[in-house]
Amino acid sequence: MSTYNEYLKQIVEREAQGLHPLPIDGAELLSEIIEQIKDENHEHRKDSLNFFIYNVLPGTTSAASVKAQFLKEIILGKSVVKEISPSFAFEQLSHMKGGPSIDVLLDVALGTDQVIAEEAANVLKTQVFLYEADMERLENAFKKGSPIAKDLLESYAKAEFFTQLPEVEEEIKVVTFVAGVGDISTDLLSPGKEAHSRADRELHGQCMFEFDEVRQKELLELKEAHPDKRVMLLAEKGTMGVGSSRMSGVNNVALWIGKQASPYVPYINIAPIVAGTNGISPIFLTTVGVTGGIGLDLKNWVKQVDDEGNLIVDENGDPILKQTYSVDTGTVLTINTKTKKLYDSEGKELIDISSALTPQKMEFIRAKGSYAVVFGKKLQTFAANTLGIEVPPVYAPSKEVTHKGQGLTAVEKIFNKNAVGTSGATLHAGSYVRVNVNIVGSQDTTGLMTSQELEMMAATVISPIVDAGYQSGCHTASVWDLKAQANTPRLMKFMNDFGLITGRDPKEVYHPLTDVIHKVLNDITIDDWAIIIGGDSHTRMSKGVAFGADSGTVALALATGEASMSIPESVKVTFKGKMADSMDFRDVVHATQAQMLKHFKGENVFQGRIIEVHIGTLLADQAFTFTDWTAEMKAKASICISQPDTLIQSLEIAKSRIKIMIEKGMDNEKQVLQSLIDKANKRIDEIKSGEKPPLAPDENAKYYAEFEVDLDIIDEPMIADPDVNNEDVSRRYTHDTIRELSYYGGDKIIDLGFVGSCMVHKGDIKIVAKMLKNLEELYGKVEFKAPLVVAAPTYNIIEELKEEGDWEILEKYSGFEFNDTAPKTTARTEYENILYLERPGCNLCMGNQEKAEKGDTVMATSTRLFQGRVVADSDRKKGESLLASTPVVVLSAILGRTPTIEEYKYAVKDIKLTQFAPPLGKMTTKPGHLLSF
């Protein structure tokens, strides 16, 4: 059967699902389609033309290369297609976003036919996705006296590819659609269990609102009733886009309410408008900017105060909110991009929205996405340098905020060190900066979209600026099903060829690893001054500053080695008191959230900011428990301030793990992993000699807020509760309800326990083993009254546990142990009351493969308590995922209920939990430390 006939068969299958033909990315299929176009009598010629013009993915796909070459033949007159004139061929090339299309346009522009050369140059003047090889061709032609090359460089220096674009419309009429009350998780917009379909945008679009066809129909009807307006999707009394970086969530929103990016590229939409009463999750907002969309903080619910200025609270001590204006579904509003205000249908001003329409964000909107601006600035700089002129001021100048005499926070220091293209001034929070990126991570359920983004921006190799890139396989580790078998090897090959270290070897030289991405990134980050970008909201390292990002921002970082963002404000977190021996550090993490909310009277001061945690004495693995959790605190990121000896010890551990990766054969030809060890050795020497001490803020740095956690008052385990039956819907499924163990009275039924995800480290798995040994000595045998699922984060941890004798007791009580030679091919839907030793990876935390049984009450070490994530609802009851420390989870599974405080203390007796003592010395430095970087 020909490739085209196979495609026709696939089309029939997709029609049965209500889908259009899959966009073409393969050279073999498009080559056959072109041959059918050339044959004027071919029975499939009409359809082939349609596929060629309207259904080929752009960028560096093999199909794009074939398409560009055929269009070149048409332009040069070597092929004649009556339906595709040379002018139309140029138009097609203008929508192909770089790579092969730029090659063709440069070939023609620098050729001998003056007429078509000028036409090609006119198209090139609209393009921004040029890479070093393209720029080198232009530079060489310019030096040889080419007038076309000179004309192009002059156009690029003026950034005409940007200045010739239409201005952003002054008034944007919108009609509201409430996606839900309370925080809107990206799981609602793009369910984790549908991760396999994310690269197929039309198919994935069907899962919007978790396949709720009633909601989908309501949205379509609203659009039809307001054809002259844009739909604004919003979270009422909550934050939009919490829980994940998820580009697929924004893609789905754009597919339903956005604009088509190009008439010649199907199902790639841009420019969605989203909003939240409590704003937009920072990572989600970045993703909206990637697509040239708008994200609004509606602020339509405000706290009330009495006549004396005191906050009015309810009987639970929570602030009572008052609505200042309605945003119910169907409300018509106007966004004015000139006045930067939001107005109601009668022209009354509601709120200032200037933070959503900064000069930089306006450029994203005008350029149809942030990529075009990033590449445009790079191209303009190249052209000006080649011509020997100053870069003309076209783009809004980077916002530089400087406060004379004010010291720097830790994040301000990192941004100043890594900033590019600034005036050289010392920058403080609020500055908008381009920064070099040191480490980039891609995970498997977003990786296919990242690879698509790289193809569409015509990138072929990782930027030399990046110290290392890593592609994980952890999010699909649990079940090696047909979807994983189809997607994972393809993804790993692409990323390995691109220059990343990959968890799975395309050549199958080393054993397939499914280690959790954040754990690997935490190990390969060997510079406390580094900037890390990762394709997951939990990219929160305990060295350097790490930002979770959408798949597009990850692609941009991989391709350019850069990211652009504002320097966030910071909240300084310190500790006092002594941690009780029977408490685990996870309890400190939960208590931080609870004490912070109480101290600031319900205001989450962490949201959208950096949490600078002066953790000092805690090693990187354990400190990661805190930084990882900050994603659920809605923080932008977190930075750990470490003492010299602690940082050195953490770096030695990182070196040992990188060495193991090298021994397994994971290093590449450029010896990226070995270079990380070399950099770690250099950093250790700098710390020991005093040449460059560990990162620390200046003692006169300015913070948005400062907060001290009191360890003395943490006298029992702390649990984050989704509070699924709270009368106020907006307060369900948030991470703000933190309760002590005694609240449950020792009688709340627990249906399943889960120890795993990125929130646990080696010590947690040792705790499981030690508890089993203790209880075995007490009772003779341990029996589980609820299932206990254990998933170590990495294979290294399992190997170390085997060497240290802890794995044996786990195997003894396991009713299931993963087997990489025969991995599971179907997801588990029912559980027995046994211990499950699952493959290293995310497991239940992801919710895309394994899940608890519907309606279960789960006690987990996970970070996820969102509705439907770890456990779905059933007809009998709502599913709920309570989050706690490892010993609480293990004991809950053994008892089948929450333990009493007495049972808990007995069970952890003589067990070394993750302990922490506040650093005794000062964790700041004298002003001027910045100069040493």
Side-chain angles (χ1 to χ4, degrees):
M1 182 182 289
S2 72
T3 308
Y4 185 77
N5 285 334
E6 289 177 359
Y7 188 53
L8 292 181
K9 182 182 176 183
Q10 182 193 73
I11 288 172
V12 172
E13 293 170 352
R14 288 177 69 84
E15 281 179 349
Q17 302 175 63
L19 299 169
H20 294 84
L22 192 67
I24 297 166
D25 62 1
E28 185 178 352
L29 173 58
L30 195 63
S31 296
E32 190 173 342
I33 284 172
I34 289 171
E35 290 306 311
Q36 292 171 182
I37 290 171
K38 290 178 178 179
D39 181 358
E40 294 196 356
N41 297 316
H42 198 284
E43 62 174 322
H44 296 301
R45 185 175 185 276
K46 183 178 178 181
D47 286 341
S48 296
L49 267 168
N50 189 62
F51 292 143
F52 179 84
I53 295 170
Y54 297 105
N55 208 43
V56 177
L57 289 178
T60 56
T61 64
S62 59
S65 183
V66 170
K67 180 172 181 173
Q69 286 302 315
F70 186 50
L71 291 172
K72 180 181 178 182
E73 289 180 20
I74 293 172
I75 289 167
L76 297 177
K78 295 180 180 179
S79 290
V80 177
V81 178
K82 60 185 178 182
E83 295 88 351
I84 305 176
S85 66
S87 293
F88 187 41
F90 275 122
E91 183 181 347
Q92 288 267 293
L93 286 167
S94 74
H95 285 260
M96 291 181 66
K97 294 184 83 172
S101 62
I102 298 295
D103 283 342
V104 165
L105 288 167
L106 284 171
D107 287 345
V108 177
L110 301 177
T112 56
D113 189 320
Q114 188 66 22
V115 175
I116 60 172
E118 289 181 1
E119 196 169 353
N122 287 335
V123 175
L124 276 168
K125 289 176 183 178
T126 68
Q127 304 297 296
V128 294
F129 291 99
L130 275 71
Y131 284 85
E132 279 71 17
D134 306 317
M135 296 177 192
E136 188 177 340
R137 284 186 70 182
L138 265 182
E139 185 177 9
N140 290 338
F142 169 69
K143 289 177 178 177
K144 291 177 182 178
S146 166
I148 290 280
K150 182 174 184 290
D151 182 44
L152 279 169
L153 289 169
E154 289 173 346
S155 175
Y156 289 153
K158 297 173 188 173
E160 290 180 340
F161 44 74
F162 178 74
T163 61
Q164 299 301 313
L165 294 172
E167 293 279 356
V168 178
E169 55 195 307
E170 182 173 343
E171 288 192 343
I172 302 172
K173 298 282 187 183
V174 300
V175 58
T176 62
F177 185 86
V178 176
V181 177
D183 289 352
I184 298 296
S185 165
T186 46
D187 266 338
L188 180 72
L189 312 174
S190 167
K193 65 180 181 295
E194 300 302 314
H196 64 278
S197 67
R198 288 173 181 169
D200 183 347
R201 296 197 186 196
E202 186 190 14
L203 173 60
H204 195 69
Q206 294 182 338
C207 71
M208 181 75 161
F209 303 138
E210 296 185 319
F211 296 98
D212 188 334
E213 294 181 4
V214 174
R215 301 297 310 287
Q216 292 175 0
K217 183 181 178 184
E218 290 172 351
L219 178 54
L220 292 175
E221 289 174 346
L222 183 71
K223 286 176 66 176
E224 291 170 5
H226 296 269
D228 59 331
K229 302 177 187 71
R230 306 271 299 279
V231 172
M232 180 167 73
L233 195 76
L234 64 92
E236 173 67 309
K237 296 180 74 175
T239 304
M240 171 61 78
V242 301
S244 177
S245 49
R246 207 156 297 177
M247 183 81 186
S248 56
V250 173
N251 285 344
N252 271 357
V253 173
L255 193 64
W256 283 86
I257 66 171
K259 301 176 180 177
Q260 188 173 0
S262 165
Y264 308 114
V265 183
Y267 305 109
I268 296 180
N269 280 19
I270 58 171
I273 300 176
V274 297
T277 287
N278 194 24
I280 317 289
S281 173
I283 308 169
F284 197 72
L285 186 58
T286 299
T287 316
V288 171
V290 166
T291 67
I294 300 174
L296 300 181
D297 185 353
L298 294 173
K299 301 175 184 174
N300 63 316
W301 290 89
V302 297
K303 296 172 185 175
Q304 298 184 74
V305 294
D306 58 26
D307 294 337
E308 297 178 358
N310 298 313
L311 192 67
I312 301 175
V313 298
D314 60 19
E315 63 272 15
N316 298 318
D318 296 318
I320 295 176
L321 303 178
K322 179 182 178 182
Q323 188 180 46
T324 57
Y325 64 95
S326 173
V327 292
D328 292 344
T329 294
T331 302
V332 175
L333 303 168
T334 299
I335 296 170
N336 190 299
T337 62
K338 298 295 185 193
T339 65
K340 318 282 189 195
K341 309 284 188 184
L342 183 69
Y343 300 91
D344 67 14
S345 59
E346 296 178 356
K348 177 186 174 184
E349 180 185 324
L350 298 175
I351 54 166
D352 179 278
I353 53 173
S354 54
S355 63
L357 299 171
T358 63
Q360 288 77 23
K361 290 179 180 179
M362 289 291 288
E363 288 174 346
F364 295 167
I365 297 167
R366 186 179 180 187
K368 299 182 179 180
S370 58
Y371 295 169
V373 174
V374 173
F375 277 84
K377 289 179 179 179
K378 186 175 181 180
L379 183 56
Q380 185 193 23
T381 302
F382 153 75
N385 291 343
T386 304
L387 293 170
I389 63 173
E390 291 290 321
V391 179
V394 171
Y395 291 99
S398 290
K399 184 180 179 183
E400 297 191 355
V401 177
T402 300
H403 302 294
K404 190 174 181 181
Q406 180 179 307
L408 296 171
T409 64
V411 74
E412 287 169 342
K413 287 190 175 184
I414 291 177
F415 270 69
N416 274 278
K417 175 186 180 293
N418 291 286
V420 292
T422 68
S423 68
T426 298
L427 304 177
H428 289 92
S431 301
Y432 188 87
V433 225
R434 286 165 55 207
V435 289
N436 288 330
V437 175
N438 305 89
I439 301 290
V440 184
S442 170
Q443 51 100 335
D444 39 328
T445 55
T446 60
L448 286 172
M449 290 190 298
T450 298
S451 64
Q452 280 187 338
E453 297 287 346
L454 288 168
E455 287 179 326
M456 285 191 280
M457 64 175 71
T460 57
V461 65
I462 191 170
S463 168
I465 296 172
V466 177
D467 289 337
Y470 179 74
Q471 172 63 57
S472 80
C474 57
H475 286 63
T476 53
S478 303
V479 185
W480 190 237
D481 57 17
L482 294 176
K483 297 165 186 173
Q485 291 172 40
N487 292 334
T488 303
R490 178 162 54 100
L491 171 63
M492 293 291 174
K493 183 179 188 313
F494 179 95
M495 290 300 189
N496 199 278
D497 291 344
F498 198 83
L500 280 73
I501 303 299
T502 53
R504 190 180 185 90
D505 183 8
K507 299 176 183 177
E508 298 188 352
V509 173
Y510 58 82
H511 179 75
L513 303 175
T514 53
D515 296 343
V516 174
I517 178 174
H518 325 298
K519 289 296 186 184
V520 177
L521 293 182
N522 202 42
D523 286 336
I524 68 174
T525 299
I526 44 73
D527 186 358
D528 48 322
W529 292 78
I531 292 179
I532 305 99
I533 299 289
D536 192 283
S537 58
H538 289 91
T539 303
R540 312 238 165 183
M541 305 303 101
S542 51
K543 300 184 288 291
V545 63
F547 297 95
D550 59 275
S551 56
T553 301
V554 170
L556 196 64
L558 287 170
T560 67
E562 290 186 8
S564 298
M565 68 186 87
S566 294
I567 303 179
E569 295 176 303
S570 294
V571 176
K572 182 179 180 180
V573 175
T574 55
F575 303 86
K576 70 176 181 179
K578 185 179 185 300
M579 187 175 168
D581 291 339
S582 59
M583 295 298 100
D584 185 79
F585 186 68
R586 178 66 180 260
D587 301 316
V588 175
V589 174
H590 287 301
T592 300
Q593 179 86 335
Q595 290 185 28
M596 178 274 295
L597 289 170
K598 183 176 180 180
H599 181 80
F600 293 102
K601 299 180 179 178
E603 179 190 355
N604 182 0
V605 297
F606 295 153
Q607 183 163 349
R609 299 184 177 92
I610 301 291
I611 302 177
E612 184 184 288
V613 55
H614 290 229
I615 219 153
T617 59
L618 209 55
L619 293 173
D621 273 6
Q622 290 83 354
F624 182 66
T625 304
F626 190 99
T627 56
D628 195 24
W629 177 261
T630 62
E632 312 317 333
M633 296 179 188
K634 301 179 185 176
K636 183 81 173 173
S638 182
I639 290 181
C640 289
I641 307 302
S642 291
Q643 294 180 163
D645 56 339
T646 305
L647 182 55
I648 289 171
Q649 195 176 344
S650 291
L651 288 172
E652 292 290 357
I653 294 170
K655 279 172 50 184
S656 68
R657 290 176 180 166
I658 296 170
K659 284 178 182 176
I660 292 172
M661 294 172 73
I662 293 173
E663 290 167 3
K664 288 180 177 178
M666 296 179 72
D667 213 349
N668 57 19
E669 291 179 2
K670 294 185 177 181
Q671 293 191 306
V672 165
L673 294 177
Q674 181 57 51
S675 73
L676 292 178
I677 290 178
D678 296 340
K679 288 183 175 74
N681 286 329
K682 182 174 183 293
R683 185 72 188 105
I684 290 169
D685 290 342
E686 290 172 342
I687 297 168
K688 286 181 175 178
S689 67
E691 176 188 347
K692 186 177 175 183
L695 172 70
D698 289 331
E699 60 187 12
N700 62 335
K702 184 178 180 181
Y703 297 88
Y704 175 82
E706 298 188 35
F707 173 64
E708 188 173 48
V709 181
D710 188 350
L711 300 177
D712 286 333
I713 64 175
I714 309 171
D715 57 0
E716 59 176 300
M718 310 294 285
I719 295 172
D721 194 319
D723 205 9
V724 299
N725 295 309
N726 193 308
E727 291 182 3
D728 185 345
V729 177
S730 70
R731 288 178 178 163
R732 299 175 189 171
Y733 305 105
T734 76
H735 286 77
D736 294 344
T737 303
I738 309 294
R739 291 172 169 150
E740 295 178 327
L741 181 63
S742 58
Y743 171 87
Y744 302 95
D747 56 11
K748 183 175 178 66
I749 300 299
I750 300 299
D751 300 302
L752 182 142
F754 170 52
V755 174
S757 87
C758 50
M759 285 294 284
V760 298
H761 52 85
K762 176 183 171 183
D764 288 284
I765 312 301
K766 291 181 77 70
I767 288 170
V768 179
K770 181 62 176 172
M771 288 183 74
L772 290 174
K773 289 176 181 176
N774 282 1
L775 292 169
E776 185 179 62
E777 289 175 6
L778 181 65
Y779 298 113
K781 182 181 180 183
V782 180
E783 294 184 0
F784 291 90
K785 294 186 178 177
L788 177 62
V789 178
V790 175
T794 67
Y795 283 85
N796 284 350
I797 286 174
I798 294 175
E799 290 170 9
E800 291 169 16
L801 291 172
K802 287 179 178 178
E803 290 176 6
E804 295 166 15
D806 294 294
W807 194 252
E808 185 178 350
I809 187 80
L810 297 174
E811 284 184 311
K812 176 180 178 180
Y813 281 102
S814 70
F816 170 86
E817 183 176 357
F818 75 94
N819 180 358
D820 276 339
T821 62
K824 283 188 296 184
T825 56
T826 56
R828 184 177 287 110
T829 57
E830 296 180 348
Y831 296 80
E832 299 176 40
N833 292 343
I834 56 173
L835 171 64
Y836 293 85
L837 293 179
E838 294 287 355
R839 198 179 193 189
C842 302
N843 201 269
L844 285 166
C845 188
M846 247 314 279
N848 64 319
Q849 292 185 322
E850 302 282 81
K851 274 188 183 296
E853 293 186 42
K854 290 182 178 180
D856 272 2
T857 294
V858 179
M859 188 72 79
T861 61
S862 170
T863 55
R864 299 308 202 193
L865 51 65
F866 305 115
Q867 186 173 18
R869 182 63 176 250
V870 172
V871 55
D873 296 341
S874 71
D875 293 336
R876 63 185 173 88
K877 67 181 284 289
K878 291 178 179 293
E880 51 186 332
S881 177
L882 286 75
L883 310 181
S885 65
T886 293
V888 170
V889 173
V890 174
L891 197 53
S892 295
I894 290 171
L895 298 173
R897 57 172 173 80
T898 53
T900 64
I901 188 64
E902 292 77 17
E903 288 170 325
Y904 168 81
K905 286 185 176 180
Y906 188 87
V908 299
K909 187 179 178 182
D910 299 327
I911 294 180
K912 187 178 180 182
L913 303 178
T914 306
Q915 293 292 296
F916 165 67
L920 298 176
K922 197 166 56 170
M923 302 291 288
T924 56
T925 185
K926 295 285 187 184
H929 177 62
L930 167 71
L931 300 177
S932 71
F933 278 142

